[in-house]
Amino acid sequence: MSRRVLLVVNRRKPGADEAARATAAHIDAQGSLIGVVDSNDAYEPPAAGSVDLIAVLGGDGTLLATAQRCLASGAPLAGFNLGRVGYMAAFELAGIAERAPELFGDRPLRERELPLIRGEVNGGEPLVALNEVVVTAGPPYRMISLCLSFDGVPGPTVDGDGLILATPTGSTAYNASAGGAIVSPDVDAFSLTPIAAHSLSFRPIVVPSRTRVEVVVRSANSLDRDGTSLVADGQVRARLVEGDRVVLTRDARSVRFVVDPRTAYWTTLRTKMRWADPPAGR
């Protein structure tokens, strides 16, 4: 039985309209196109069991936003790169005609389940993140202080610009830029990385994903509208003030991504992230 496919398009990307038309034609030829939506619009996410695949045309930001919005559908996501790097997108549009029968028809898909981080501030409404949850200092950009604990055991205090807790998926994003470890997607762990720590000995660590990480805000920044914040996948979710307690755990749910069986993770890391590339010669 052919797949029911929702096509999500970031129409702000150059060439998006043409790419959407071509992709929609391939879906119609091999499967069943149930709708085309703009990722920038407030579209109604599909209900659980109503779609078999969500095809996403855009960059990594589009994939992250779609994963968040369509989480309840339970459908896997297949990313097609319209961005600059497209690290999370498994497929390129140049090969879509060849790959259409396996993606939109009835052939088995190779998938990877990606963990989510669950965050709660003072026991309030939880948020989830596919890449990372960040406690960021915010304006007026003075150093903040965060007290950590792990499964109830007191840990160190971080004085600096904040803290990142990243999934393996997000370990190559902000976490890597801040000096954190790149974690293979096969490792069931999260990376915890300080941002500009006021210490020469505070190093990033990797913890099992079952770890309950608690962050108590000892000092924070505050302006009328901005200040220290909790950010999930690049979106501000909550303002933080002195005394707030943030609890970070692995969410019970996960996100399914379609992966390209022809490309290994290490190949993608080397070619798209230019892992360990030497300095350019003359």
Side-chain angles (χ1 to χ4, degrees), residues 164-189:
I164 302 167
L165 187 71
T167 66
T169 310
S171 69
T172 53
Y174 191 7
N175 173 75
S177 298
I182 293 175
V183 179
S184 165
D186 297 321
V187 177
D188 189 12

Side-chain angles (χ1 to χ4, degrees), residues 86-97:
Y87 182 78
M88 295 177 64
F91 304 96
E92 298 292 333
L93 285 170
I96 194 171

Side-chain angles (χ1 to χ4, degrees), residues 1-3 5 23 25-31 53 80 95-109 262:
M1 181 178 177
S2 60
R3 292 187 175 88
V5 183
T23 305
H26 288 301
I27 295 172
D28 269 332
Q30 302 294 334
L53 180 69
F80 296 86
I96 194 171
E98 178 189 358
R99 312 303 294 274
E102 65 183 273
L103 290 171
F104 310 131
D106 56 2
R107 301 182 191 177
L109 294 175
R262 304 181 187 181

Side-chain angles (χ1 to χ4, degrees), residues 38-244:
D38 189 333
S39 65
N40 302 293
D41 292 342
Y43 62 88
E44 185 70 23
S50 64
V51 296
D52 302 307
L53 180 69
I54 300 173
V56 183
L57 305 186
D60 287 350
T62 310
L63 271 167
L64 284 172
T66 305
Q68 288 265 8
R69 184 174 292 184
C70 299
L71 181 60
S73 74
L77 279 72
F80 296 86
N81 182 31
L82 285 182
R84 290 189 302 112
V85 178
Y87 182 78
M88 295 177 64
F91 304 96
E92 298 292 333
L93 285 170
I96 194 171
E98 178 189 358
R99 312 303 294 274
E102 65 183 273
L103 290 171
F104 310 131
D106 56 2
R107 301 182 191 177
L109 294 175
R110 181 177 172 184
E111 299 177 10
R112 175 177 288 135
E113 286 201 6
L114 305 178
L116 296 163
I117 296 174
R118 176 188 179 96
E120 296 179 9
V121 180
N122 301 327
E125 183 178 355
L127 57 85
V128 294
L130 176 58
N131 260 6
E132 75 279 302
V133 173
V134 179
V135 177
T136 182
Y141 305 107
R142 291 188 295 265
M143 184 170 63
I144 63 173
S145 186
L146 308 170
C147 301
L148 305 182
S149 67
F150 302 89
D151 293 328
V153 179
T157 295
V158 185
D159 295 322
D161 290 346
L163 188 73
I164 302 167
L165 187 71
T167 66
T169 310
S171 69
T172 53
Y174 191 7
N175 173 75
S177 298
I182 293 175
V183 179
S184 165
D186 297 321
V187 177
D188 189 12
F190 292 153
S191 300
L192 192 147
T193 303
I195 306 171
H198 190 58
S199 168
L200 294 179
S201 60
F202 197 115
R203 288 292 181 250
I205 61 172
V206 177
V207 300
S209 66
R210 65 179 181 274
T211 306
R212 175 187 173 97
V213 179
E214 293 190 28
V215 183
V216 175
V217 181
R218 190 167 75 174
S219 66
N221 288 324
S222 179
L223 290 177
D224 289 342
R225 292 181 300 172
D226 301 303
T228 299
S229 301
L230 189 69
V231 179
D233 286 344
Q235 302 295 318
V236 174
R237 300 293 183 177
R239 286 284 307 280
L240 297 175
V241 298
E242 183 178 332
D244 279 348

